[in-house]
């Protein structure tokens, strides 16, 4: 049960009202007019958390299965509608959700990738063995990725290879991307050389610099990125990020490899090791990867489409642990860093650059579309729960990227040849757009929680076997969400995870009255509902219906298993 004592008192009052209404219903039609309320949402616009970074709505694409080849890249000669080889539906859909940042080329793939393999004439690029046991043709490389970002209108976020390349290659990748045409770094007195990397970039088709500011320094270095200890990684991070070339006014934002799920030991030791040396100033963000496995059982990953009620509640319960993961790592950073450094700490953001529900085999588009999976209403609810958590922690989370945009774990799009559809998750991304750049404010949700029917099983938190364990999780919030304000407009997003129970909820705003409201809801009778190529619109949002505030408050019934976005005008 949530939260403040005043709201708890009100809840008890409304619970007894509800009980009274139920008792009356048997004997009198008067019950129909009774104020039956299942939950309360109390919003306090005066209690601000932070501005919601639009970058928490970022994306990730990796050379894995059908993500790049067929998903993003169909090739210039393709019959599939494309813009310079990039699938047009992919671009249009990414534009429709206003993607702010796109991460590439991995994931685990990044730590065995040589960025030089993907530049120059395509017919001269080498074939290589890629990380995910598939041949890498290198037809999609750095320039194609930058064109993708330009077509979408987003910023690039590059993951650098720390496991199999030395720091020099990283420095040179930065130079290749960011040096002005024909120039050397601003800290160099030497004249521009004809073989300067900027000149190579120009010869390869891009005279203007890419101005990449966001750089991941390795990926999952505790696992596929090198099996390093936090102390070993801290040394590598410092070596990679010290004395990097800088160009123009673009400060580089370096993201250090963070924990696997809720592994606070990694975060704590990494921070101690990094801050133990005064040359630490390059750290901008700490990457966090948290996947919700389709099953709590170790080495089983569940099925994207076939799940029972217990598994539905269990997945959402474990997904809600994102809240704990964020808080735990934030606290670990705070306590690991000596107090003299604490004033700097707010400048270190959490970068949740891989998240989503990860299921086992069974719903792939085809065997070679490794890790592709279907997405149902269950995943839409997880998406809403996750964004609400990020927004409630707007002071901590600077960037987050869903894994991955297309043909993969928690995708917004599925594509195979000329067939294409969006998933329910796409719709949630669109419904949450108004939150971006708004001020996140405190919202207390008061509702009875749902016991997790599988809450006695220790949880695996990822789809791959090396991802760690979490303790049993007993319950799921009966209603959750987040609120943000821009002037007199308030955006409220709400997830009702009950499979059958609508949640009639009284919404009140401290110090203001609700003048009007409108909204959108995503809800289907069956939580297994999903889109596929034959039924691309089986799941889509609809209007939340007539919303009539009374006495400055709004009472609204959130349908079972739904995600709702309300736009509320305040006076
Ligand atoms: O997103 C798939 C994989 O999951 C990524 O390559 C890796 O970083 C994580 O383990």
């Amino acid at each position: 049960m949530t939260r403040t004592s005043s709201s708890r008192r009100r809840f008890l009052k409304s619970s007894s009202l509800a009980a009274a209404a139920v008792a009356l219903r048997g004997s009198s039609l008067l019950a129909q007019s009774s104020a039956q309320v299942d939950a309360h949402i109390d919003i306090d616009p005066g209690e601000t958390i932070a501005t919601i970074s639009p970058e928490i709505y970022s994306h990730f694409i990796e050379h894995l299965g059908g993500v790049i080849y067929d998903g993003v890249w169909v090739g210039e000669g393709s019959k599939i509608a494309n813009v310079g080889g990039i699938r047009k539906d992919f671009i249009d859909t990414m534009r429709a959700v206003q993607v702010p940042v796109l991460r590439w080329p991995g994931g685990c793939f990044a730590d065995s990738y040589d960025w030089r393999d993907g530049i120059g004439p395509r017919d001269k690029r080498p074939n290589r063995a890629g990380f995910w046991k598939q041949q890498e043709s290198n037809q999609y490389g750095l320039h194609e990725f930058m064109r993708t970002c330009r077509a979408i209108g987003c910023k690039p976020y590059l993951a650098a290879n720390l496991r199999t390349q030395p720091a020099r290659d990283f420095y040179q990748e930065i130079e290749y991307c960011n040096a002005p045409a024909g120039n050397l770094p601003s800290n160099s007195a030497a004249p521009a050389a004809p073989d300067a990397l900027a000149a190579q970039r120009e010869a390869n088709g891009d005279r203007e610099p890419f101005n990449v500011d966001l750089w991941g320094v390795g990926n999952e270095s505790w696992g596929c990125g090198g099996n390093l200890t936090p102390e070993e990684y801290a040394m590598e991070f410092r070596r990679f990020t010290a004395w990097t070339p800088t160009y123009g006014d673009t400060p580089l934002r370096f993201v250090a490899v963070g924990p696997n799920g809720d592994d606070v030991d990694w975060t704590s030791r990494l921070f101690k090791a990094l801050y133990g040396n005064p040359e630490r100033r390059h750290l901008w963000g700490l990457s966090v990867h948290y996947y919700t496995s389709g099953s709590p059982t170790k080495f089983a990953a569940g099925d994207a489409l076939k799940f029972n009620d217990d598994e539905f509640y269990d997945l959402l319960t474990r997904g809600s642990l994102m809240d704990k993961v964020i808080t735990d790592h934030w606290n670990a950073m705070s306590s690991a860093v000596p107090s003299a450094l604490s004033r700097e700490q707010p400048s270190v953001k959490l970068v949740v650059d891989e998240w989503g529900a990860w299921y086992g085999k069974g719903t792939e588009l085809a065997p070679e579309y490794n890790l592709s999976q279907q997405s149902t209403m269950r995943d839409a609810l997880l998406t809403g729960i996750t964004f609400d958590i990020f927004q409630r922690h707007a002071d901590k989370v600077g960037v987050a990227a869903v894994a991955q945009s297309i043909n993969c774990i928690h995708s917004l799009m599925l594509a195979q040849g000329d067939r294409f559809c969006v998933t329910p998750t796409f719709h949630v991304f669109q419904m949450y757009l108004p939150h971006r750049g708004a001020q996140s404010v405190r919202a207390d949700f008061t509702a009875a929680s749902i016991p997790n029917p599988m809450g006695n099983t220790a949880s695996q938190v990822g789809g791959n076997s090396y991802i760690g364990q979490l303790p049993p999780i007993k319950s799921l919030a009966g209603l959750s969400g987040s609120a943000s304000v821009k002037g007199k407009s308030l955006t409220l997003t709400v997830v009702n995870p009950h499979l059958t129970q609508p949640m009639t909820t009284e919404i009140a705003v401290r110090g203001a009255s609700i003048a009007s409201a409108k909204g959108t809801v995503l809800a289907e009778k069956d939580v297994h509902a999903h889109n596929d190529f034959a039924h691309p619109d089986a799941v889509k949002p609809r209007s939340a219906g007539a919303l009539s505030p009374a006495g400055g408050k709004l009472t609204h019934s959130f349908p079972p298993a739904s995600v709702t976005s309300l736009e509320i005008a305040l006076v």
Side-chain angles (χ1 to χ4, degrees):
M1 176 77 64
T2 351
R3 293 294 174 237
T4 61
S5 52
S6 63
S7 56
R8 186 172 293 124
R9 270 198 304 277
R10 226 181 0 245
F11 172 76
L12 292 172
K13 194 172 146 211
S14 65
S15 297
S16 37
L17 278 174
V22 171
L24 273 172
R25 195 170 288 145
S27 58
S28 165
L29 281 176
L30 280 176
Q32 297 298 322
S33 61
S34 174
Q36 180 174 347
V37 171
D38 305 302
H40 288 272
I41 303 173
D42 295 295
I43 302 160
D44 187 352
E47 215 177 304
T48 56
I49 298 167
T51 300
I52 295 171
S53 163
E55 295 187 350
I56 66 171
Y57 289 89
S58 299
H59 281 244
F60 169 37
I61 52 172
E62 176 171 15
H63 291 246
L64 157 61
V67 176
I68 298 295
Y69 299 108
D70 202 23
V72 178
W73 181 252
V74 293
E76 281 170 332
S78 173
K79 291 202 177 90
I80 299 162
N82 68 85
V83 180
I86 306 157
R87 184 186 283 272
K88 185 170 179 311
D89 279 331
F90 175 77
I91 294 171
D92 292 346
T93 307
M94 296 289 266
R95 289 181 70 86
V97 292
Q98 299 172 26
V99 172
V101 168
L102 184 56
R103 177 177 184 243
W104 174 85
C108 295
F109 178 85
D111 271 305
S112 49
Y113 179 62
D114 183 347
W115 62 271
R116 288 186 180 83
D117 286 346
I119 60 174
R122 278 192 213 110
D123 58 357
K124 302 254 170 6
R125 296 185 194 171
N127 262 288
R128 301 271 189 229
F131 174 87
W132 292 98
K133 297 190 175 56
Q134 69 192 94
Q135 208 56 32
E136 175 54 53
S137 67
N138 283 303
Q139 294 304 287
Y140 189 88
L142 198 49
H143 291 260
E144 287 79 15
F145 173 65
M146 294 301 165
R147 279 204 277 117
T148 307
C149 292
R150 286 198 291 264
I152 294 168
C154 68
K155 292 177 81 163
Y157 170 17
L158 291 180
N161 180 344
L162 180 122
R163 177 168 61 83
T164 59
Q165 283 191 327
R168 191 186 67 155
D169 293 87
F170 179 52
Y171 288 20
Q172 292 184 347
E173 188 177 6
I174 295 174
E175 181 179 343
Y176 186 89
C177 288
N178 290 357
N183 276 344
L184 285 174
S186 55
N187 53 9
S188 169
D195 63 349
L197 290 169
Q200 283 185 34
R201 183 188 67 228
E202 185 173 350
N204 289 332
D206 280 291
R207 179 175 164 74
E208 294 311 315
F210 300 140
N211 293 329
V212 182
D213 69 332
L214 202 52
W215 294 85
V217 186
N219 173 77
E220 297 192 351
S221 301
W222 37 261
C224 64
N227 294 316
L228 304 180
T229 65
E231 292 76 18
E232 289 164 346
Y233 174 72
M235 192 192 81
E236 292 296 329
F237 179 86
R238 205 177 288 113
R239 219 156 53 78
F240 268 63
T241 56
W243 307 108
T244 41
T246 52
Y247 302 91
D249 298 331
T250 313
L252 300 178
R253 296 192 283 168
F254 291 128
V255 179
V257 167
N260 172 13
D262 206 23
D263 180 4
V264 285
D265 182 57
W266 172 277
T267 300
S268 187
R269 285 168 57 188
L270 175 63
F271 264 63
K272 281 184 187 142
L274 281 177
Y275 280 81
N277 180 323
E279 182 50 46
R280 63 182 183 276
R281 67 177 70 104
H282 303 287
L283 181 65
W284 183 86
L286 180 77
S287 156
V288 175
H289 290 182
Y290 177 57
Y291 287 103
T292 310
S293 170
S295 161
T297 315
K298 205 172 178 206
F299 304 122
D303 194 285
L305 290 178
K306 293 184 213 125
F307 54 90
N308 60 30
D309 293 0
D310 289 0
E311 289 164 329
F312 168 85
Y313 285 123
D314 178 64
L315 180 111
L316 297 185
T317 309
R318 285 180 293 105
S320 305
L321 276 177
M322 180 68 87
D323 199 299
K324 174 173 159 52
V325 169
I326 290 169
T327 311
D328 285 353
H329 291 297
W330 192 258
N331 292 341
M333 293 195 305
S334 311
S335 50
V337 174
S339 56
L341 300 169
S342 62
R343 65 194 149 78
E344 282 182 26
Q345 197 207 309
S347 66
V348 179
K349 293 290 183 190
L350 293 178
V351 176
V352 188
D353 49 13
E354 292 189 26
W355 67 267
W358 188 331
Y359 303 107
K361 287 189 181 304
T363 64
E364 310 85 302
L365 291 165
E368 65 274 24
Y369 290 65
N370 191 11
L371 300 190
S372 69
Q373 61 185 37
Q374 251 299 354
S375 261
T376 65
M377 276 300 297
R378 175 171 65 161
D379 302 297
L381 266 66
L382 181 70
T383 306
I385 287 171
T386 304
F387 279 139
D388 288 323
I389 292 169
F390 291 158
Q391 284 161 182
R392 295 200 301 267
H393 291 289
D395 53 333
K396 307 177 186 74
V397 184
V399 179
V402 66
Q404 304 185 8
S405 311
I406 187 165
N407 288 352
C408 200
I409 295 164
H410 195 96
S411 293
L412 284 77
M413 292 165 258
L414 299 175
Q416 189 180 22
D418 60 0
R419 300 184 299 168
F420 179 88
C421 69
V422 296
T423 67
T425 288
F426 160 79
H427 294 300
V428 180
F429 269 70
Q430 269 206 320
M431 288 165 64
Y432 277 57
L433 282 175
H435 278 302
R436 295 167 182 227
Q439 185 65 230
S440 175
V441 298
R442 179 171 177 156
D444 287 333
F445 285 67
T446 308
S449 55
I450 303 170
N452 177 11
M454 296 172 74
N456 288 327
T457 320
S459 297
Q460 185 192 351
V461 296
N464 37 9
S465 56
Y466 57 79
I467 293 197
Q469 298 267 312
L470 283 167
I473 308 120
K474 301 287 186 195
S475 65
L476 169 67
L479 197 72
S480 66
S482 63
S484 67
V485 288
K486 268 185 202 157
K488 289 283 178 194
S489 300
L490 186 147
T491 301
L492 175 66
T493 43
V494 178
V495 174
N496 174 10
H498 291 86
L499 279 166
T500 53
Q501 187 188 337
M503 293 292 279
T504 301
T505 305
E506 186 187 75
I507 302 163
V509 182
R510 182 168 295 181
S513 288
I514 297 177
S516 63
K518 59 184 179 166
T520 311
V521 63
L522 190 68
E524 297 293 331
K525 283 200 183 71
D526 183 355
V527 282
H528 300 86
H530 58 277
N531 296 334
D532 58 27
F533 300 137
H535 312 93
D537 287 323
V539 177
K540 59 179 183 190
R542 55 185 158 80
S543 160
L547 299 162
S548 312
K553 296 181 181 178
L554 177 66
T555 301
H556 181 66
S557 179
F558 295 97
S562 65
V563 183
T564 303
S565 173
L566 298 180
E567 286 302 301
I568 294 172
L570 301 176
V571 284

